[in-house]
Amino acid sequence: MNSKIQELTDIIYNEGVAKGQAQANKIVEQAQTQAESILADANRKAAGIVADAEQSAKANADNVSRELKLQSQQVLGALKSEIATVITDRIVSEAVKGFCADQDVFNSFILEIARQWNGAQAPVIATAQAEKLRAYFMAKAKELLDAGLEIRQIGGRQAFFSIQPADGSYKLDFGQQELESWLKSILRDQLVEVLF
């Protein structure tokens, strides 16, 4: 009887172990399936985050590139405008001083304007006079550029550029440090706005 009980106990024990093992295998299998699903979902989300980050970085790079291009065009425009303003101011100031200093020329000019002015419309400078005036100012501009010109401020910002005669034309000269400092002062605010 002891052997029968032992045999019955072994059978129950083995069945319990087998059922427990099957249950454990089933739980492990479900856990692995769930882990794979979680991992696949995490990989999908990570890929989405990476794609979004790449797209955002590309958009920012494009914005910065467009902003730099726009700013460089504005910088070049400001420099050209400042050169023209400096030259015009100096030429006109010197010309007006010279013109006003010669009392006979000044008086004849005023008389000519007074003769033409009838009160209804402004006096007109004749084509021949305009061409002489243009030639005079162009000659003065050439004299000014031939002597060399320095620009110390552009658009309210400190800068150092010089224009010197070179081989029949003119050379714009500036130091790397001056250009770098000037560009930084102009571009910094725009870059901060685009980046942040």
Side-chain angles (χ1 to χ4, degrees):
M1 176 137 161
N2 260 349
S3 103
K4 288 268 189 202
I5 292 179
Q6 184 62 37
E7 216 177 278
L8 193 53
T9 304
D10 287 344
I11 290 173
I12 293 173
Y13 173 77
N14 287 337
E15 282 180 11
V17 169
K19 282 184 182 179
Q21 187 63 43
Q23 185 90 16
N25 289 342
K26 186 176 178 183
I27 291 171
V28 167
E29 190 177 300
Q30 287 174 344
Q32 285 177 338
T33 303
Q34 191 175 13
E36 288 172 2
S37 174
I38 290 171
L39 184 59
D41 189 44
N43 283 335
R44 273 191 306 277
K45 286 180 181 177
I49 290 169
V50 168
D52 288 348
E54 286 174 350
Q55 185 177 5
S56 178
K58 184 180 181 325
N60 282 342
D62 290 346
N63 286 342
V64 168
S65 177
R66 278 192 300 276
E67 190 66 30
L68 284 173
K69 185 176 181 180
L70 176 65
Q71 288 297 318
S72 67
Q73 290 169 348
Q74 289 175 350
V75 164
L76 185 57
L79 179 58
K80 287 178 180 179
S81 177
E82 189 65 25
I83 290 169
T85 299
V86 167
I87 291 172
T88 303
D89 287 351
R90 287 193 187 171
I91 291 171
V92 170
S93 294
E94 289 175 18
V96 169
K97 283 178 191 173
F99 179 73
C100 291
D102 187 342
Q103 207 58 53
D104 291 334
V105 172
F106 182 71
N107 289 339
S108 68
F109 179 75
I110 296 298
L111 284 173
E112 182 64 30
I113 289 177
R115 272 190 224 120
Q116 290 183 21
W117 191 31
N118 63 13
Q121 53 182 285
V124 176
I125 296 176
T127 304
Q129 293 168 326
E131 189 53 43
K132 285 180 187 176
L133 193 57
R134 181 184 175 289
Y136 173 79
F137 283 118
M138 294 306 283
K140 290 294 182 183
K142 184 172 178 358
E143 285 177 25
L144 182 62
L145 289 172
D146 285 346
L149 178 67
E150 288 184 357
I151 297 173
R152 302 254 179 210
Q153 191 175 44
I154 298 175
R157 298 177 193 271
Q158 280 193 318
F160 180 76
F161 294 90
S162 68
I163 301 172
Q164 302 294 328
D167 302 325
S169 63
Y170 300 96
K171 176 182 163 190
L172 179 63
D173 191 21
F174 49 89
Q176 179 180 347
Q177 183 177 1
E178 288 84 9
L179 180 63
E180 194 174 299
S181 173
W182 185 57
L183 288 174
K184 280 180 184 177
S185 72
I186 291 171
L187 297 176
R188 186 180 189 294
D189 295 336
Q190 272 67 19
L191 287 176
V192 167
E193 184 179 315
V194 168
L195 293 173
F196 305 106

mmCIF file of all heavy atoms in Angstrom, residues 5-45:
data_model
loop_
_atom_site.group_PDB
_atom_site.id
_atom_site.type_symbol
_atom_site.label_atom_id
_atom_site.label_comp_id
_atom_site.label_asym_id
_atom_site.label_seq_id
_atom_site.Cartn_x
_atom_site.Cartn_y
_atom_site.Cartn_z
ATOM 1 N N ILE A 5 0.648 4.277 -2.658
ATOM 2 C CA ILE A 5 0.519 5.687 -2.265
ATOM 3 C C ILE A 5 1.690 6.463 -2.858
ATOM 4 O O ILE A 5 1.508 7.579 -3.354
ATOM 5 C CB ILE A 5 0.487 5.815 -0.731
ATOM 6 C CG1 ILE A 5 -0.802 5.207 -0.209
ATOM 7 C CG2 ILE A 5 0.600 7.260 -0.296
ATOM 8 C CD1 ILE A 5 -0.959 5.233 1.271
ATOM 9 N N GLN A 6 2.838 5.871 -2.783
ATOM 10 C CA GLN A 6 4.025 6.530 -3.338
ATOM 11 C C GLN A 6 3.851 6.708 -4.835
ATOM 12 O O GLN A 6 4.171 7.764 -5.375
ATOM 13 C CB GLN A 6 5.274 5.691 -3.040
ATOM 14 C CG GLN A 6 6.567 6.325 -3.488
ATOM 15 C CD GLN A 6 6.833 7.645 -2.793
ATOM 16 O OE1 GLN A 6 6.535 7.814 -1.610
ATOM 17 N NE2 GLN A 6 7.359 8.583 -3.514
ATOM 18 N N GLU A 7 3.341 5.713 -5.480
ATOM 19 C CA GLU A 7 3.140 5.771 -6.931
ATOM 20 C C GLU A 7 2.122 6.844 -7.269
ATOM 21 O O GLU A 7 2.288 7.624 -8.211
ATOM 22 C CB GLU A 7 2.616 4.400 -7.398
ATOM 23 C CG GLU A 7 3.121 3.998 -8.729
ATOM 24 C CD GLU A 7 2.590 2.600 -9.037
ATOM 25 O OE1 GLU A 7 3.182 1.622 -8.563
ATOM 26 O OE2 GLU A 7 1.594 2.543 -9.778
ATOM 27 N N LEU A 8 1.033 6.888 -6.536
ATOM 28 C CA LEU A 8 -0.020 7.879 -6.740
ATOM 29 C C LEU A 8 0.533 9.282 -6.464
ATOM 30 O O LEU A 8 0.241 10.234 -7.195
ATOM 31 C CB LEU A 8 -1.195 7.554 -5.810
ATOM 32 C CG LEU A 8 -2.490 8.281 -6.086
ATOM 33 C CD1 LEU A 8 -2.958 8.141 -7.516
ATOM 34 C CD2 LEU A 8 -3.575 7.786 -5.155
ATOM 35 N N THR A 9 1.319 9.421 -5.443
ATOM 36 C CA THR A 9 1.927 10.704 -5.102
ATOM 37 C C THR A 9 2.862 11.134 -6.220
ATOM 38 O O THR A 9 2.873 12.312 -6.614
ATOM 39 C CB THR A 9 2.701 10.591 -3.777
ATOM 40 O OG1 THR A 9 1.824 10.117 -2.770
ATOM 41 C CG2 THR A 9 3.266 11.916 -3.349
ATOM 42 N N ASP A 10 3.638 10.210 -6.721
ATOM 43 C CA ASP A 10 4.560 10.534 -7.825
ATOM 44 C C ASP A 10 3.796 10.983 -9.067
ATOM 45 O O ASP A 10 4.197 11.923 -9.764
ATOM 46 C CB ASP A 10 5.444 9.326 -8.155
ATOM 47 C CG ASP A 10 6.516 9.096 -7.087
ATOM 48 O OD1 ASP A 10 6.762 10.036 -6.286
ATOM 49 O OD2 ASP A 10 7.102 8.014 -7.081
ATOM 50 N N ILE A 11 2.687 10.307 -9.349
ATOM 51 C CA ILE A 11 1.882 10.648 -10.527
ATOM 52 C C ILE A 11 1.304 12.048 -10.357
ATOM 53 O O ILE A 11 1.370 12.886 -11.257
ATOM 54 C CB ILE A 11 0.762 9.594 -10.753
ATOM 55 C CG1 ILE A 11 1.378 8.288 -11.202
ATOM 56 C CG2 ILE A 11 -0.245 10.086 -11.741
ATOM 57 C CD1 ILE A 11 0.385 7.135 -11.299
ATOM 58 N N ILE A 12 0.743 12.317 -9.184
ATOM 59 C CA ILE A 12 0.155 13.640 -8.915
ATOM 60 C C ILE A 12 1.259 14.699 -8.967
ATOM 61 O O ILE A 12 1.092 15.775 -9.544
ATOM 62 C CB ILE A 12 -0.571 13.650 -7.552
ATOM 63 C CG1 ILE A 12 -1.786 12.749 -7.602
ATOM 64 C CG2 ILE A 12 -0.964 15.062 -7.146
ATOM 65 C CD1 ILE A 12 -2.485 12.548 -6.264
ATOM 66 N N TYR A 13 2.381 14.359 -8.374
ATOM 67 C CA TYR A 13 3.502 15.296 -8.348
ATOM 68 C C TYR A 13 3.978 15.595 -9.774
ATOM 69 O O TYR A 13 4.166 16.747 -10.144
ATOM 70 C CB TYR A 13 4.638 14.731 -7.493
ATOM 71 C CG TYR A 13 5.896 15.569 -7.542
ATOM 72 C CD1 TYR A 13 5.978 16.763 -6.808
ATOM 73 C CD2 TYR A 13 6.990 15.185 -8.318
ATOM 74 C CE1 TYR A 13 7.121 17.532 -6.862
ATOM 75 C CE2 TYR A 13 8.129 15.952 -8.365
ATOM 76 C CZ TYR A 13 8.192 17.124 -7.641
ATOM 77 O OH TYR A 13 9.333 17.886 -7.688
ATOM 78 N N ASN A 14 4.158 14.546 -10.577
ATOM 79 C CA ASN A 14 4.639 14.707 -11.954
ATOM 80 C C ASN A 14 3.639 15.477 -12.796
ATOM 81 O O ASN A 14 4.015 16.316 -13.622
ATOM 82 C CB ASN A 14 4.946 13.352 -12.583
ATOM 83 C CG ASN A 14 6.216 12.739 -12.009
ATOM 84 O OD1 ASN A 14 7.068 13.451 -11.501
ATOM 85 N ND2 ASN A 14 6.316 11.429 -12.059
ATOM 86 N N GLU A 15 2.335 15.181 -12.590
ATOM 87 C CA GLU A 15 1.318 15.930 -13.328
ATOM 88 C C GLU A 15 1.341 17.397 -12.921
ATOM 89 O O GLU A 15 1.217 18.292 -13.751
ATOM 90 C CB GLU A 15 -0.079 15.339 -13.079
ATOM 91 C CG GLU A 15 -0.360 14.098 -13.844
ATOM 92 C CD GLU A 15 -1.762 13.535 -13.558
ATOM 93 O OE1 GLU A 15 -2.576 14.248 -12.923
ATOM 94 O OE2 GLU A 15 -2.015 12.419 -14.003
ATOM 95 N N GLY A 16 1.495 17.649 -11.636
ATOM 96 C CA GLY A 16 1.564 19.034 -11.134
ATOM 97 C C GLY A 16 2.776 19.764 -11.683
ATOM 98 O O GLY A 16 2.691 20.938 -12.083
ATOM 99 N N VAL A 17 3.907 19.059 -11.686
ATOM 100 C CA VAL A 17 5.134 19.656 -12.223
ATOM 101 C C VAL A 17 4.957 19.926 -13.711
ATOM 102 O O VAL A 17 5.321 20.989 -14.217
ATOM 103 C CB VAL A 17 6.348 18.745 -11.957
ATOM 104 C CG1 VAL A 17 7.561 19.213 -12.740
ATOM 105 C CG2 VAL A 17 6.668 18.713 -10.476
ATOM 106 N N ALA A 18 4.383 18.977 -14.427
ATOM 107 C CA ALA A 18 4.185 19.146 -15.874
ATOM 108 C C ALA A 18 3.240 20.306 -16.142
ATOM 109 O O ALA A 18 3.477 21.134 -17.035
ATOM 110 C CB ALA A 18 3.640 17.851 -16.480
ATOM 111 N N LYS A 19 2.124 20.370 -15.358
ATOM 112 C CA LYS A 19 1.192 21.480 -15.541
ATOM 113 C C LYS A 19 1.866 22.804 -15.172
ATOM 114 O O LYS A 19 1.681 23.819 -15.850
ATOM 115 C CB LYS A 19 -0.054 21.282 -14.680
ATOM 116 C CG LYS A 19 -1.025 20.291 -15.242
ATOM 117 C CD LYS A 19 -2.269 20.219 -14.382
ATOM 118 C CE LYS A 19 -3.231 19.162 -14.924
ATOM 119 N NZ LYS A 19 -4.421 19.056 -14.092
ATOM 120 N N GLY A 20 2.628 22.792 -14.090
ATOM 121 C CA GLY A 20 3.343 24.004 -13.668
ATOM 122 C C GLY A 20 4.362 24.433 -14.729
ATOM 123 O O GLY A 20 4.499 25.621 -15.023
ATOM 124 N N GLN A 21 5.056 23.445 -15.280
ATOM 125 C CA GLN A 21 6.042 23.740 -16.324
ATOM 126 C C GLN A 21 5.344 24.299 -17.563
ATOM 127 O O GLN A 21 5.816 25.251 -18.171
ATOM 128 C CB GLN A 21 6.841 22.468 -16.671
ATOM 129 C CG GLN A 21 7.994 22.705 -17.630
ATOM 130 C CD GLN A 21 9.051 23.638 -17.044
ATOM 131 O OE1 GLN A 21 9.424 23.519 -15.883
ATOM 132 N NE2 GLN A 21 9.498 24.572 -17.843
ATOM 133 N N ALA A 22 4.224 23.723 -17.942
ATOM 134 C CA ALA A 22 3.464 24.197 -19.100
ATOM 135 C C ALA A 22 2.979 25.621 -18.843
ATOM 136 O O ALA A 22 3.040 26.487 -19.732
ATOM 137 C CB ALA A 22 2.287 23.260 -19.376
ATOM 138 N N GLN A 23 2.489 25.839 -17.615
ATOM 139 C CA GLN A 23 2.010 27.180 -17.247
ATOM 140 C C GLN A 23 3.185 28.164 -17.289
ATOM 141 O O GLN A 23 3.046 29.269 -17.797
ATOM 142 C CB GLN A 23 1.395 27.131 -15.840
ATOM 143 C CG GLN A 23 0.767 28.419 -15.396
ATOM 144 C CD GLN A 23 -0.693 28.502 -15.774
ATOM 145 O OE1 GLN A 23 -1.309 27.495 -16.100
ATOM 146 N NE2 GLN A 23 -1.223 29.706 -15.770
ATOM 147 N N ALA A 24 4.316 27.764 -16.769
ATOM 148 C CA ALA A 24 5.502 28.624 -16.761
ATOM 149 C C ALA A 24 5.959 28.921 -18.185
ATOM 150 O O ALA A 24 6.296 30.060 -18.523
ATOM 151 C CB ALA A 24 6.621 27.971 -15.964
ATOM 152 N N ASN A 25 5.954 27.889 -19.034
ATOM 153 C CA ASN A 25 6.340 28.081 -20.439
ATOM 154 C C ASN A 25 5.395 29.059 -21.133
ATOM 155 O O ASN A 25 5.824 29.906 -21.920
ATOM 156 C CB ASN A 25 6.376 26.748 -21.180
ATOM 157 C CG ASN A 25 7.548 25.881 -20.756
ATOM 158 O OD1 ASN A 25 8.513 26.374 -20.165
ATOM 159 N ND2 ASN A 25 7.472 24.590 -21.023
ATOM 160 N N LYS A 26 4.090 28.898 -20.806
ATOM 161 C CA LYS A 26 3.086 29.770 -21.405
ATOM 162 C C LYS A 26 3.318 31.222 -20.943
ATOM 163 O O LYS A 26 3.253 32.154 -21.743
ATOM 164 C CB LYS A 26 1.688 29.292 -21.019
ATOM 165 C CG LYS A 26 0.582 30.041 -21.694
ATOM 166 C CD LYS A 26 -0.763 29.438 -21.332
ATOM 167 C CE LYS A 26 -1.900 30.213 -21.968
ATOM 168 N NZ LYS A 26 -3.203 29.712 -21.603
ATOM 169 N N ILE A 27 3.596 31.431 -19.668
ATOM 170 C CA ILE A 27 3.845 32.771 -19.120
ATOM 171 C C ILE A 27 5.101 33.366 -19.746
ATOM 172 O O ILE A 27 5.123 34.537 -20.140
ATOM 173 C CB ILE A 27 3.946 32.725 -17.578
ATOM 174 C CG1 ILE A 27 2.563 32.417 -16.973
ATOM 175 C CG2 ILE A 27 4.502 34.021 -17.017
ATOM 176 C CD1 ILE A 27 2.578 32.140 -15.480
ATOM 177 N N VAL A 28 6.146 32.565 -19.857
ATOM 178 C CA VAL A 28 7.402 33.029 -20.455
ATOM 179 C C VAL A 28 7.163 33.419 -21.919
ATOM 180 O O VAL A 28 7.632 34.451 -22.395
ATOM 181 C CB VAL A 28 8.513 31.960 -20.331
ATOM 182 C CG1 VAL A 28 9.706 32.297 -21.208
ATOM 183 C CG2 VAL A 28 8.940 31.818 -18.887
ATOM 184 N N GLU A 29 6.402 32.578 -22.623
ATOM 185 C CA GLU A 29 6.106 32.848 -24.030
ATOM 186 C C GLU A 29 5.313 34.150 -24.177
ATOM 187 O O GLU A 29 5.605 34.977 -25.038
ATOM 188 C CB GLU A 29 5.319 31.669 -24.615
ATOM 189 C CG GLU A 29 5.158 31.731 -26.120
ATOM 190 C CD GLU A 29 4.433 30.497 -26.643
ATOM 191 O OE1 GLU A 29 4.955 29.377 -26.433
ATOM 192 O OE2 GLU A 29 3.366 30.674 -27.239
ATOM 193 N N GLN A 30 4.310 34.335 -23.303
ATOM 194 C CA GLN A 30 3.524 35.570 -23.339
ATOM 195 C C GLN A 30 4.400 36.779 -23.006
ATOM 196 O O GLN A 30 4.274 37.838 -23.624
ATOM 197 C CB GLN A 30 2.352 35.488 -22.352
ATOM 198 C CG GLN A 30 1.236 34.570 -22.786
ATOM 199 C CD GLN A 30 0.161 34.418 -21.704
ATOM 200 O OE1 GLN A 30 0.383 34.753 -20.543
ATOM 201 N NE2 GLN A 30 -0.989 33.877 -22.106
ATOM 202 N N ALA A 31 5.298 36.616 -22.045
ATOM 203 C CA ALA A 31 6.197 37.709 -21.655
ATOM 204 C C ALA A 31 7.130 38.071 -22.812
ATOM 205 O O ALA A 31 7.381 39.252 -23.081
ATOM 206 C CB ALA A 31 6.996 37.326 -20.418
ATOM 207 N N GLN A 32 7.631 37.045 -23.508
ATOM 208 C CA GLN A 32 8.509 37.305 -24.646
ATOM 209 C C GLN A 32 7.751 38.018 -25.768
ATOM 210 O O GLN A 32 8.266 38.954 -26.368
ATOM 211 C CB GLN A 32 9.114 35.994 -25.168
ATOM 212 C CG GLN A 32 10.213 35.449 -24.289
ATOM 213 C CD GLN A 32 10.742 34.109 -24.798
ATOM 214 O OE1 GLN A 32 10.064 33.391 -25.540
ATOM 215 N NE2 GLN A 32 11.960 33.768 -24.366
ATOM 216 N N THR A 33 6.533 37.573 -26.028
ATOM 217 C CA THR A 33 5.712 38.212 -27.059
ATOM 218 C C THR A 33 5.448 39.668 -26.692
ATOM 219 O O THR A 33 5.565 40.573 -27.527
ATOM 220 C CB THR A 33 4.377 37.446 -27.242
ATOM 221 O OG1 THR A 33 4.663 36.093 -27.574
ATOM 222 C CG2 THR A 33 3.524 38.071 -28.315
ATOM 223 N N GLN A 34 5.101 39.868 -25.421
ATOM 224 C CA GLN A 34 4.826 41.226 -24.954
ATOM 225 C C GLN A 34 6.098 42.079 -25.021
ATOM 226 O O GLN A 34 6.058 43.246 -25.426
ATOM 227 C CB GLN A 34 4.272 41.188 -23.533
ATOM 228 C CG GLN A 34 3.716 42.509 -23.064
ATOM 229 C CD GLN A 34 3.052 42.399 -21.692
ATOM 230 O OE1 GLN A 34 3.215 41.404 -20.990
ATOM 231 N NE2 GLN A 34 2.320 43.431 -21.322
ATOM 232 N N ALA A 35 7.234 41.524 -24.644
ATOM 233 C CA ALA A 35 8.505 42.251 -24.685
ATOM 234 C C ALA A 35 8.854 42.629 -26.117
ATOM 235 O O ALA A 35 9.301 43.756 -26.389
ATOM 236 C CB ALA A 35 9.620 41.414 -24.062
ATOM 237 N N GLU A 36 8.647 41.700 -27.046
ATOM 238 C CA GLU A 36 8.926 41.985 -28.462
ATOM 239 C C GLU A 36 8.009 43.096 -28.971
ATOM 240 O O GLU A 36 8.434 43.974 -29.725
ATOM 241 C CB GLU A 36 8.754 40.713 -29.299
ATOM 242 C CG GLU A 36 9.859 39.701 -29.081
ATOM 243 C CD GLU A 36 9.574 38.354 -29.761
ATOM 244 O OE1 GLU A 36 8.520 38.216 -30.431
ATOM 245 O OE2 GLU A 36 10.418 37.455 -29.613
ATOM 246 N N SER A 37 6.742 43.048 -28.552
ATOM 247 C CA SER A 37 5.786 44.074 -28.955
ATOM 248 C C SER A 37 6.197 45.437 -28.390
ATOM 249 O O SER A 37 6.175 46.448 -29.098
ATOM 250 C CB SER A 37 4.386 43.704 -28.470
ATOM 251 O OG SER A 37 3.478 44.741 -28.720
ATOM 252 N N ILE A 38 6.591 45.463 -27.120
ATOM 253 C CA ILE A 38 7.034 46.711 -26.488
ATOM 254 C C ILE A 38 8.287 47.239 -27.179
ATOM 255 O O ILE A 38 8.407 48.429 -27.464
ATOM 256 C CB ILE A 38 7.268 46.506 -24.973
ATOM 257 C CG1 ILE A 38 5.924 46.287 -24.264
ATOM 258 C CG2 ILE A 38 8.028 47.687 -24.371
ATOM 259 C CD1 ILE A 38 6.059 45.860 -22.813
ATOM 260 N N LEU A 39 9.217 46.334 -27.471
ATOM 261 C CA LEU A 39 10.461 46.721 -28.130
ATOM 262 C C LEU A 39 10.180 47.266 -29.532
ATOM 263 O O LEU A 39 10.734 48.298 -29.930
ATOM 264 C CB LEU A 39 11.419 45.523 -28.192
ATOM 265 C CG LEU A 39 12.805 45.794 -28.769
ATOM 266 C CD1 LEU A 39 13.521 46.861 -27.955
ATOM 267 C CD2 LEU A 39 13.625 44.518 -28.793
ATOM 268 N N ALA A 40 9.302 46.589 -30.280
ATOM 269 C CA ALA A 40 8.956 47.058 -31.628
ATOM 270 C C ALA A 40 8.288 48.428 -31.556
ATOM 271 O O ALA A 40 8.589 49.328 -32.363
ATOM 272 C CB ALA A 40 8.041 46.049 -32.324
ATOM 273 N N ASP A 41 7.390 48.620 -30.587
ATOM 274 C CA ASP A 41 6.725 49.908 -30.416
ATOM 275 C C ASP A 41 7.733 50.994 -30.052
ATOM 276 O O ASP A 41 7.689 52.113 -30.580
ATOM 277 C CB ASP A 41 5.642 49.786 -29.331
ATOM 278 C CG ASP A 41 4.764 51.007 -29.240
ATOM 279 O OD1 ASP A 41 4.355 51.528 -30.312
ATOM 280 O OD2 ASP A 41 4.488 51.459 -28.107
ATOM 281 N N ALA A 42 8.651 50.663 -29.155
ATOM 282 C CA ALA A 42 9.689 51.619 -28.756
ATOM 283 C C ALA A 42 10.572 51.980 -29.950
ATOM 284 O O ALA A 42 10.930 53.149 -30.136
ATOM 285 C CB ALA A 42 10.536 51.052 -27.617
ATOM 286 N N ASN A 43 10.909 50.983 -30.779
ATOM 287 C CA ASN A 43 11.723 51.242 -31.972
ATOM 288 C C ASN A 43 10.988 52.153 -32.954
ATOM 289 O O ASN A 43 11.590 53.046 -33.554
ATOM 290 C CB ASN A 43 12.121 49.932 -32.653
ATOM 291 C CG ASN A 43 13.242 49.225 -31.913
ATOM 292 O OD1 ASN A 43 14.023 49.850 -31.195
ATOM 293 N ND2 ASN A 43 13.317 47.911 -32.058
ATOM 294 N N ARG A 44 9.676 51.922 -33.126
ATOM 295 C CA ARG A 44 8.870 52.767 -34.010
ATOM 296 C C ARG A 44 8.843 54.206 -33.488
ATOM 297 O O ARG A 44 9.026 55.165 -34.236
ATOM 298 C CB ARG A 44 7.434 52.245 -34.131
ATOM 299 C CG ARG A 44 7.227 51.194 -35.210
ATOM 300 C CD ARG A 44 5.745 50.925 -35.466
ATOM 301 N NE ARG A 44 4.977 50.567 -34.281
ATOM 302 C CZ ARG A 44 4.907 49.355 -33.751
ATOM 303 N NH1 ARG A 44 5.569 48.361 -34.300
ATOM 304 N NH2 ARG A 44 4.179 49.135 -32.667
ATOM 305 N N LYS A 45 8.616 54.335 -32.178
ATOM 306 C CA LYS A 45 8.582 55.669 -31.589
ATOM 307 C C LYS A 45 9.946 56.354 -31.697
ATOM 308 O O LYS A 45 10.026 57.545 -32.005
ATOM 309 C CB LYS A 45 8.145 55.599 -30.125
ATOM 310 C CG LYS A 45 6.663 55.321 -29.957
ATOM 311 C CD LYS A 45 6.273 55.255 -28.497
ATOM 312 C CE LYS A 45 4.776 54.946 -28.346
ATOM 313 N NZ LYS A 45 4.386 54.804 -26.943
#
